[in-house]
Amino acid sequence: MLRRLYDWTMSLAATRDAEKALAGVSFIESSVFPIPPDVLLIPMVLAERAKWLRYAALCTVASVAGAVLGYLIGAFLFDLLGQPILAFYGAEDSFAKVQGWYDRWGGWGVLFAAVTPFPYKVLTIFSGFTGLNFLTFLIVSIIGRGMRFTLVAWLLYRFGEPIRTFIERNLGLLFTLFMVLLIGGFVAVKYIF
């Protein structure tokens, strides 16, 4: 099953709608969607390595735009949308801790979430809700998401076929590691906040 999903994703990465899908996933992942854009970015770069920088830039721009949506949800639509989204991720009861944490760390927390597998959408919504300075939020989001997607895309560009061979040979292990990191990020939300 994993092999078929991998093959399907690789074939999707080579279609003419792949960039639209990548932008859509990158946008929505920053505010509500649990699956990171890497699931499309990786096969797209492996399918067309010369476009690595274009794909990284597309991911970054769409992700930051989605982060702004998350911020706006936290600032203006928290009761209607923000609270249900945070409840889904198990982070709805953490406001006092987050407020204190933001008073101390602010943009550094957003930068941390932007670069790591930590669920970025949780901090975009919290940032709006807690009133983190929007310019600080925007700058650290651009830096963090840009670093993350550019590094992933560049590594795939630089080490292309060996990386692809490694992925294909170790698909089960890498999927397990990916899921551990993804779930670990959501668990971290519960215990950090």
Side-chain angles (χ1 to χ4, degrees), residues 38-55:
D38 304 73
V39 297
L40 281 176
L41 177 64
I42 292 169
M44 286 175 67
V45 173
L46 289 175
E48 294 188 68
R49 287 175 47 207
K51 293 185 176 182
W52 73 274
L53 191 54
R54 176 184 175 96
Y55 295 151

Side-chain angles (χ1 to χ4, degrees), residues 103-122:
D103 289 344
R104 185 168 180 205
W105 298 102
W108 291 110
V110 176
L111 183 62
F112 168 79
V115 176
T116 66
F118 190 85
Y120 186 52
K121 72 225 33 58
V122 170

Side-chain angles (χ1 to χ4, degrees), residues 96-137:
K97 285 183 182 179
V98 170
Q99 186 65 54
W101 190 74
Y102 263 42
D103 289 344
R104 185 168 180 205
W105 298 102
W108 291 110
V110 176
L111 183 62
F112 168 79
V115 176
T116 66
F118 190 85
Y120 186 52
K121 72 225 33 58
V122 170
L123 285 185
T124 66
I125 294 170
F126 275 144
S127 294
F129 179 79
T130 60
L132 179 68
N133 178 282
F134 182 75
L135 185 58
T136 299
F137 172 79

Side-chain angles (χ1 to χ4, degrees), residues 29-30 34-38 63 101 107-124 140-141 143-149 151-152 178 180-186 188-189 192-193:
E29 182 269 339
S30 293
I35 307 298
D38 304 73
S63 181
W101 190 74
W108 291 110
V110 176
L111 183 62
F112 168 79
V115 176
T116 66
F118 190 85
Y120 186 52
K121 72 225 33 58
V122 170
L123 285 185
T124 66
V140 296
S141 291
I143 292 169
R145 294 313 250 187
M147 284 173 40
R148 178 170 183 252
F149 297 130
L151 178 62
V152 168
F178 173 76
V180 166
L181 289 172
L182 183 65
I183 293 167
F186 291 117
V189 166
I192 289 174
F193 297 118

Side-chain angles (χ1 to χ4, degrees), residues 15-73:
T15 67
R16 63 187 175 126
D17 293 327
E19 288 187 16
K20 291 176 190 169
L22 180 63
V25 169
S26 298
F27 176 82
I28 198 143
E29 182 269 339
S30 293
S31 51
V32 295
F33 195 58
I35 307 298
D38 304 73
V39 297
L40 281 176
L41 177 64
I42 292 169
M44 286 175 67
V45 173
L46 289 175
E48 294 188 68
R49 287 175 47 207
K51 293 185 176 182
W52 73 274
L53 191 54
R54 176 184 175 96
Y55 295 151
L58 180 62
C59 259
T60 301
V61 169
S63 181
V64 171
V68 169
L69 175 63
Y71 186 96
L72 294 173
I73 287 170

